[in-house]
Amino acid sequence: MIEIILVMVSGIVAGRLLRRVKALRVLPVTTMATIVVLLFIMGGEIGGNRDVIAGLSTSGVEALAIAAAATLGSIAAARGVYALFFANRNNTTHAGNEK
């Protein structure tokens, strides 16, 4: 576990040091493509496993409930953060856009 954290921290440090390098601006696109490929491979592995497919009816309902609760919790947290930090910014006037 410590190895994973060290790799992540070193990536953060490298990203901060190299943030002005123009060649690295494609990283968000390549990161998203890599995630999509990994999800596809994981889906293939799950679909090919008979035990996982057999237990999907019971664990699927639990997974759906957990996913729904996590999504609703994330939405609630995001609305709270927005209201706390960003809601007052909408009330300011900008040059050329007088109210």
Side-chain angles (χ1 to χ4, degrees):
M1 184 66 172
I2 190 73
E3 295 90 3
I4 294 171
I5 294 172
L6 288 174
V7 168
M8 213 168 176
V9 168
S10 64
I12 291 169
V13 170
R16 292 290 290 167
L17 294 174
L18 300 172
R19 67 178 176 239
R20 300 199 196 287
V21 176
K22 291 186 184 208
L24 297 179
R25 302 215 179 180
V26 298
L27 285 180
V29 175
T30 57
T31 301
M32 183 56 102
T34 303
I35 291 171
V36 167
V37 169
L38 287 172
L39 286 172
F40 180 78
I41 292 170
M42 188 174 73
E45 289 290 323
I46 291 171
N49 189 333
R50 292 179 192 257
D51 294 332
V52 171
I53 298 300
L56 194 59
S57 62
T58 54
S59 62
V61 173
E62 292 173 14
L64 182 63
I66 292 170
T71 301
L72 291 174
S74 295
I75 290 170
R79 290 188 76 179
V81 168
Y82 178 80
L84 188 63
F85 294 108
F86 301 107
N88 292 334
R89 292 185 184 183
N90 291 337
N91 296 332
T92 61
T93 59
H94 299 288
N97 191 13
E98 315 291 319
K99 288 188 178 180

